[in-house]
């Protein structure tokens, strides 16, 4: 019998194919939503394939940009790519595609990016969704956003991170299993592993700077992935969202890369967030 993960992966592929056939074959609904989906460390726009095609198949407009130096843009990888580069990547999608009333989704490290975009372009945004993602404060980097750590623990984490960057510029060593995708079914893990790329180290070390409060004042949703929960500081960000009166909170019983293992559930929650605004 196929495992639940196998069913999710194979089901996602089937829905993706159906969705691609349906786009253009059906009329766009009056309540169509514009989504911009931002990936996390080592990923690319490819990781949203199944979620994108589910939403597009329902008539929604979906953008899945790849951050500079990642995925199919890995040929642009160079040491000076920082957090501001990635924030600009997404802010420019909103600007050049002339997008408004957007549901902006960030996965993992993508939470740093969408918070920075919200600070620059809040008038273009309808709702922010943090999919098992970091929710930074002004001045936070990916390391200092671990709000439960002492200065000594942050320094130790930075040392460990630099060990994961043997050339001093790029984070390497991530795997599908690290992102909560089990080794079975083999095709799901293999699909992710062959697409993961090194990630520019500077984007993790740079602080995010807010001039307009970041995400504060915008409708926000946090989605926590619980089985298995990614070790580290995401539980602190989930707790923040649960206790914040202006936030919506939901959980998915799947691993960190929920867009791969549970694409339909992700699509449903993104739509719920959009329609709650």
């Amino acid at each position: 019998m196929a495992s639940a993960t196998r069913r999710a992966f194979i089901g996602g592929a089937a829905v993706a194919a159906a969705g691609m056939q349906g786009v253009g074959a059906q009329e766009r609904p009056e309540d169509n939503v514009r989504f911009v989906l931002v990936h996390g460390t080592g990923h690319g726009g490819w990781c949203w394939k199944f979620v994108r095609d589910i939403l597009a198949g329902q008539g929604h407009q979906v953008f899945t940009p790849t951050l500079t130096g990642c995925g199919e843009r890995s040929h642009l990888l160079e040491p000076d790519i920082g957090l501001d580069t990635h924030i600009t990547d997404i802010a420019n999608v909103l600007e050049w595609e002339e997008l408004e009333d957007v549901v902006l989704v960030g996965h993992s490290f993508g939470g740093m990016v969408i918070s920075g975009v919200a600070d620059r372009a809040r008038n273009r945004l309808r709702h922010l969704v943090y999919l098992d993602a970091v929710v930074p404060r002004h001045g936070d980097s990916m390391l200092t956003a671990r709000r439960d750590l002492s200065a000594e623990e942050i320094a130790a984490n930075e040392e460990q991170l630099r060990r994961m960057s043997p050339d001093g510029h790029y984070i390497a060593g991530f795997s599908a299993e690290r992102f909560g995708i089990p080794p079975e079914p083999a095709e799901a893990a293999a699909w992710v592993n062959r697409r993961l790329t090194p990630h520019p180290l500077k984007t993790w070390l740079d602080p995010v700077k807010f001039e307009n409060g970041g995400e504060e004042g915008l409708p926000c949703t946090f989605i926590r992935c619980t089985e298995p929960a990614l070790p580290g500081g995401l539980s602190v960000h989930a707790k923040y969202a649960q206790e914040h009166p202006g936030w919506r909170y939901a959980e998915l019983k799947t691993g960190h890369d929920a867009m791969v293992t549970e694409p339909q559930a992700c699509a449903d929650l993104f739509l719920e967030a959009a329609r709650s605004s």
Side-chain angles (χ1 to χ4, degrees):
M1 179 179 293
S3 67
T5 304
R6 175 182 288 273
R7 289 195 300 270
F9 183 76
I10 294 174
V15 171
M20 291 181 73
Q21 294 170 1
V23 176
Q26 65 180 28
E27 293 183 5
R28 294 178 63 83
E30 291 183 2
D31 64 343
N32 67 82
V33 181
R34 294 184 183 91
F35 292 94
V36 176
L37 312 181
V38 181
H39 65 83
T41 299
H43 289 59
W46 58 264
C47 71
W48 300 107
K49 172 182 174 61
F50 305 128
V51 175
R52 178 191 66 216
D53 291 330
I54 290 168
L55 292 171
Q58 296 173 6
H60 304 292
Q61 190 175 16
V62 187
F63 294 82
T64 56
T66 292
L67 301 171
T68 301
C70 300
E72 78 276 11
R73 305 182 70 205
S74 57
H75 62 291
L76 300 176
L77 187 64
E78 53 92 10
D80 290 335
I81 296 171
L83 179 59
D84 188 68
T85 309
H86 284 176
I87 292 170
T88 302
D89 283 337
I90 305 305
N92 279 353
V93 172
L94 302 182
E95 176 69 25
W96 292 100
E97 294 289 349
E98 298 185 334
L99 301 179
E100 297 181 352
D101 201 32
V102 169
V103 176
L104 182 61
V105 179
H107 174 244
S108 196
F109 161 78
M112 297 286 294
V113 178
I114 69 171
S115 290
V117 174
D119 193 70
R120 295 187 189 182
R122 64 177 51 243
N123 62 315
R124 294 184 178 272
L125 302 178
R126 173 175 178 173
H127 202 109
L128 295 176
V129 179
Y130 292 78
L131 176 60
D132 223 26
V134 175
V135 185
R137 301 157 297 188
H138 171 74
D140 273 343
S141 69
M142 274 290 284
L143 294 176
T144 61
R146 287 286 306 273
R147 307 177 188 195
D148 55 337
L149 298 184
S150 66
E152 292 76 15
E153 289 171 318
I154 290 172
N157 275 358
E158 181 173 348
E159 183 179 347
Q160 181 181 10
L161 179 64
R162 290 187 182 278
R163 286 198 297 270
M164 294 169 61
S165 178
D167 61 4
H169 299 306
Y170 313 120
I171 304 168
F174 290 110
S175 67
E177 186 175 6
R178 174 73 173 81
F179 290 115
I181 298 176
E184 295 296 333
E187 60 264 37
W191 186 77
V192 172
N193 276 328
R194 67 177 176 262
R195 286 166 172 78
L196 292 172
T197 56
H199 191 90
L201 174 65
K202 191 172 184 292
T203 65
W204 272 51
L205 300 179
D206 286 350
V208 67
K209 298 176 182 178
F210 298 148
E211 296 182 0
N212 300 296
E215 85 288 341
E216 285 295 333
L218 287 167
C220 295
T221 292
F222 193 99
I223 302 170
R224 180 65 165 138
C225 300
T226 62
E227 294 185 11
L230 187 72
L234 286 178
S235 60
V236 176
H237 300 289
K239 186 173 186 290
Y240 169 80
Q242 284 179 291
E243 295 177 350
H244 195 296
W247 282 59
R248 301 173 73 255
Y249 178 83
E251 292 185 350
L252 283 177
K253 293 183 178 181
T254 192
H256 186 56
D257 269 13
M259 75 289 282
V260 176
T261 55
E262 291 291 345
Q264 185 66 61
C266 285
D268 290 345
L269 286 172
F270 297 171
L271 280 169
E272 284 181 24
R275 289 166 179 162
S276 72
S277 302

